[in-house]
Amino acid sequence: MDADFFLVVVMVIVTTAITGLTINGVVQKIVDYKREKNAIRYGHSTDAPQITDMSERTDHIEDRLKVLERIATDPEARRGADLADQIEQLRLEQKQKELG
């Protein structure tokens, strides 16, 4: 009878462990789903480092573009006018390449 009792105890322990692991897995999936849902709803993303890098790079490019525009449109320096003419010529060449 001790062997039967031992077998029943082992089966109860194994069944409890399997049930606990299954419930844990289901709960973890539910929690992950809710986190993703809230991240999407409130604008947080799991790709935050990539978005931050892209944002910093975009800001850097915008700053450089502002400097180039200031140089190109500087009325006091003839150099700015020459540069503006060169940029406009490049734009026209690009449009011609695209069209023909």
Side-chain angles (χ1 to χ4, degrees), residues 2-51:
D2 289 330
D4 291 337
F5 180 73
F6 180 71
L7 185 60
V8 170
V9 170
V10 169
M11 288 184 65
V12 168
I13 291 172
V14 169
T15 304
T16 305
I18 291 172
T19 305
L21 291 173
T22 303
I23 291 172
N24 184 38
V26 170
V27 169
Q28 188 64 40
K29 292 287 184 186
I30 292 170
V31 169
D32 289 344
Y33 170 75
K34 287 186 177 184
R35 282 183 185 161
E36 282 293 320
K37 186 177 175 183
N38 286 334
I40 291 169
R41 178 181 292 162
Y42 296 113
H44 301 286
S45 176
T46 56
D47 298 331
Q50 291 177 347
I51 292 173

Side-chain angles (χ1 to χ4, degrees), residues 31-87:
V31 169
D32 289 344
Y33 170 75
K34 287 186 177 184
R35 282 183 185 161
E36 282 293 320
K37 186 177 175 183
N38 286 334
I40 291 169
R41 178 181 292 162
Y42 296 113
H44 301 286
S45 176
T46 56
D47 298 331
Q50 291 177 347
I51 292 173
T52 303
D53 291 341
M54 287 179 15
S55 176
E56 289 175 2
R57 185 170 181 195
T58 302
D59 291 341
H60 179 70
I61 290 171
E62 287 176 354
D63 291 341
R64 292 184 72 184
L65 182 60
K66 287 177 185 176
V67 170
L68 289 173
E69 287 175 344
R70 189 177 66 235
I71 291 170
T73 59
D74 185 10
E76 295 179 12
R78 179 67 190 143
R79 173 184 63 152
D82 289 339
L83 186 57
D85 292 340
Q86 290 175 0
I87 291 172

